[in-house]
Amino acid sequence: MAADTQVPGDADIAVVAALMGEPARALVLVALLDGRALAASTLAVEAGVSASTISSHLARLVDGGLVSVETSGRNRYFRITRNEVAEAIEALARLAPAHPVRSLRQGIHAEAIRKARTCYDHLAGRLGIALLDALVNDQILEIERRPENLPDPILGAGHARRYLLTDDGRSRLLSLGVEIATSSRRPLTRYCVDWSEQRPHLAGALGNALLVRLVGLGWLIRGERRVVKVTQAGRSGLAREFGIDIET
């Protein structure tokens, strides 16, 4: 090996951890977890800091590659740069203690976000888990088997279990109007371990496509702070198409 050749060392986790670990920046990243771009003023409110302070925090997140900035006229909007950032935040959320609930408003939001929310660009919470369970039970997705034809019992880091779209499942989703990506660098199916339920929900291109279609059908409405609301049409449609009882 040449003396002037530089070989990358181990990943410097501390750099990213420091960016995420500051309380105001952590609140900014959580606010951006629904995948939408938000204005600096909105993020200042979410983080509970002044306009000048939020500018400093956002600059550090942009420089660190966790957040990107988009300009529209005189306004600037910020969003998470890529899915891996959202996955890292969700993984930390599974380890983190819960914020104490000190008001009725906080309690209502805490329950709503556990019931149904967005996880970057796909559905999470109890509804996201119920949807993945329904897709497997209806054989729209099947769980990949190990070589010895036994189910893989591992469910956690490393995506040891894969969910595969069946031919019948593809036809059924297409009939519902779900746009299934055929040429994308992004995996069609992945799972996230839901931080509030500690069970998997569906991510990947298909997870995003399902969320987009359910919103397009008017079955789901994206609310504030990642909350997803189910409409009356959604209650009927989810029960009819997937056997999901939204009250469970």
Side-chain angles (χ1 to χ4, degrees):
M1 182 180 296
D4 59 350
T5 301
Q6 293 186 348
V7 179
D10 289 343
D12 193 349
I13 298 173
V15 172
V16 177
L19 285 173
M20 292 184 172
E22 199 284 328
R25 290 196 292 272
L27 290 171
V28 165
L29 291 170
V30 170
L32 293 174
L33 264 184
D34 69 354
R36 291 180 286 189
L38 297 178
S41 57
T42 301
L43 294 171
V45 173
E46 289 290 332
V49 298
S50 66
S52 59
T53 300
I54 201 65
S55 294
S56 175
H57 285 311
L58 289 170
R60 291 198 62 180
L61 290 171
V62 171
D63 289 344
L66 302 185
V67 169
S68 62
V69 58
E70 304 167 2
T71 302
S72 178
R74 301 174 64 179
N75 299 314
R76 297 199 305 163
Y77 297 88
F78 299 84
R79 70 166 76 244
I80 287 175
T81 54
R82 57 195 184 279
N83 188 62
E84 288 80 3
V85 177
E87 289 180 354
I89 299 168
E90 284 284 320
L92 287 172
R94 296 198 299 273
L95 301 175
H99 282 291
V101 174
R102 295 191 173 95
S103 69
L104 177 61
R105 181 179 181 183
Q106 290 177 338
I108 292 172
H109 180 261
E111 172 57 25
I113 207 165
R114 282 164 172 75
K115 184 175 183 179
R117 66 179 181 275
T118 50
C119 173
Y120 192 48
D121 64 354
H122 52 271
L123 191 62
R126 292 196 294 272
L127 180 56
I129 290 168
L131 179 59
L132 178 54
D133 286 346
L135 294 174
V136 173
N137 291 336
D138 290 350
Q139 298 183 331
I140 295 173
L141 296 178
E142 64 180 12
I143 300 173
E144 186 179 45
R145 302 278 176 164
R146 294 189 297 180
E148 58 269 35
N149 202 33
L150 295 174
D152 189 335
I154 301 172
L155 188 58
H159 299 272
R161 177 175 290 183
R162 292 182 60 202
Y163 293 90
L164 306 177
L165 180 63
T166 66
D167 291 339
D168 288 344
R170 180 181 295 272
S171 298
R172 182 168 166 184
L173 292 180
L174 287 172
S175 69
L176 188 61
V178 178
E179 295 188 6
I180 301 174
T182 56
S183 59
S184 174
R185 294 181 180 179
R186 184 178 186 184
L188 180 62
T189 60
R190 293 186 68 179
Y191 68 78
C192 291
V193 178
D194 197 279
W195 67 261
S196 61
E197 303 300 313
Q198 298 296 310
R199 293 188 57 212
H201 60 248
L202 183 65
L206 184 58
N208 173 241
L210 278 163
L211 174 61
V212 169
R213 183 53 179 158
L214 295 179
V215 171
L217 287 169
W219 293 6
L220 303 179
I221 298 174
R222 296 179 67 160
E224 296 182 351
R225 301 177 66 191
R226 296 197 291 148
V227 170
V228 172
K229 299 179 180 179
V230 183
T231 65
Q232 188 58 49
R235 292 174 185 272
S236 301
L238 289 169
R240 179 179 66 252
E241 294 292 337
F242 302 109
I244 296 175
D245 179 359
I246 197 58
E247 297 301 330
T248 61

